[in-house]
Amino acid sequence: MKVPHFSLQKILDLKELIVEARAVELEKSRQDLTRKRHQLKSLQNNKDETLYTNVTLQHPGASLNPLQLQFSSDYLVQLSERIKTQEKTVAESTTRVSDKHQALVKANQEKKALELLQSKHLTQFKKELHKKEQRDESEIALRLQGNKTSVWKEL
């Protein structure tokens, strides 16, 4: 039996590899985003803990050490700057994940389009094969019928 040849098979194979690669890239980007969000949450927790510690040190009757107050204030400023930087990093990573997701969707659509073409090609091949088989069967039937009539004429 003749095997159908799909002229775009190599392109379809390449699209499948691209889809797999895009899926891996997306997963790596998502993991990176999760890690960066965790870092942001950690920084925010450090800031909250420092603020809470400062409030508890300032209760009535407690003496504040100016050096501790300055150190704490500087640390809070530094944490606030790191939080802003980390928020920007998280936003960039979120955009990157979104872009990678869109790239995966696009690659998947292109692959699906080629698979649809392949399916149509296979269907057309089967129809043509069926027509050829019917023609061959008809031709054989006509020959057999022709042979029978010639045998009857001889008798």
Side-chain angles (χ1 to χ4, degrees), residues 3-155:
V3 177
H5 173 69
F6 181 55
S7 60
L8 300 174
Q9 186 61 47
K10 288 184 180 181
I11 295 173
L12 178 58
D13 294 342
L14 180 63
K15 291 295 180 183
E16 288 172 351
L17 292 174
I18 290 171
V19 166
E20 290 174 15
R22 296 282 190 260
V24 169
E25 290 174 6
L26 177 61
E27 185 56 33
K28 285 181 181 178
S29 293
R30 284 181 174 162
Q31 290 173 358
D32 184 54
L33 176 60
T34 300
R35 185 179 51 79
K36 288 178 180 178
R37 283 181 175 162
H38 179 62
Q39 289 172 345
L40 176 60
K41 187 164 181 74
S42 176
L43 288 171
Q44 290 170 334
N45 287 341
N46 285 346
K47 183 178 178 182
D48 291 343
E49 288 173 9
T50 303
L51 286 171
Y52 178 74
T53 303
N54 285 349
V55 168
T56 57
L57 288 176
Q58 293 178 359
H59 69 279
S63 60
L64 288 175
N65 181 347
L67 185 59
Q68 284 178 328
L69 186 60
Q70 182 63 39
F71 175 74
S72 179
S73 176
D74 291 345
Y75 182 64
L76 285 172
V77 168
Q78 181 186 20
L79 276 176
S80 294
E81 290 172 2
R82 288 178 61 195
I83 287 171
K84 285 180 184 177
T85 303
Q86 192 65 24
E87 285 172 341
K88 288 178 185 176
T89 304
V90 167
E92 290 169 359
S93 290
T94 302
T95 302
R96 197 172 306 114
V97 166
S98 178
D99 292 345
K100 299 229 184 242
H101 181 261
Q102 290 301 319
L104 175 61
V105 167
K106 182 180 178 192
N108 223 352
Q109 287 173 340
E110 292 170 356
K111 179 185 145 206
K112 294 284 184 198
L114 285 171
E115 287 174 341
L116 182 61
L117 286 173
Q118 182 184 36
S119 175
K120 287 181 179 179
H121 180 265
L122 182 60
T123 303
Q124 183 64 29
F125 175 80
K126 287 180 180 179
K127 284 180 184 178
E128 289 173 7
L129 185 63
H130 183 69
K131 284 180 183 178
K132 184 180 182 308
E133 288 173 353
Q134 283 182 335
R135 268 185 279 141
D136 291 346
E137 288 173 2
S138 295
E139 186 178 314
I140 291 170
L142 287 174
R143 284 186 185 172
L144 287 175
Q145 187 178 10
N147 287 342
K148 285 182 183 178
T149 51
S150 64
V151 168
W152 282 107
K153 285 181 183 178
E154 291 176 10
L155 293 176

